[in-house]
Amino acid sequence: MKINISEINHINTSLYYIIRDIATIQSEINDVQCSLDSDVLNSRNIGYNLSKTNNSVIKATQEMRDLYSFVEDSTDKYTSLEGKLTNTASGL
């Protein structure tokens, strides 16, 4: 079985940029929340909804970071094991 590590790394790099963009959005949500007057925040649960949205974005960002790390670690382990197997097979 051969896995295309280059393609996986390319996809993981794209994921990294998505994570970065989402972190920017989270920061912007926080900025909006901090800039609004307390009367506005309390009106129609705007503050609650912004906090809830912010927490969801934080959770999603962390899950994506975990996925990014998992894929990166997995490709490193696969590459290392593939090299060891190739060296072992060459010695036979």
Side-chain angles (χ1 to χ4, degrees), residues 36-48:
L36 292 176
D37 182 76
S38 62
D39 290 336
V40 173
L41 289 172
N42 293 329
S43 170
R44 303 175 123 180
N45 292 323
I46 291 173
Y48 171 78

Side-chain angles (χ1 to χ4, degrees), residues 56-70:
S56 295
V57 172
I58 289 169
K59 182 180 177 189
T61 303
Q62 185 57 52
E63 289 173 354
M64 292 172 86
R65 284 183 178 138
D66 292 346
L67 175 61
Y68 174 85
S69 295
F70 172 78

Side-chain angles (χ1 to χ4, degrees), residues 6 10 13 15 24 28 38 47 51 56 68 71 76-77 82-83:
S6 296
H10 175 72
T13 299
L15 178 60
T24 300
E28 291 170 354
S38 62
S51 291
S56 295
Y68 174 85
V71 170
D76 289 346
K77 288 177 183 176
E82 184 179 47

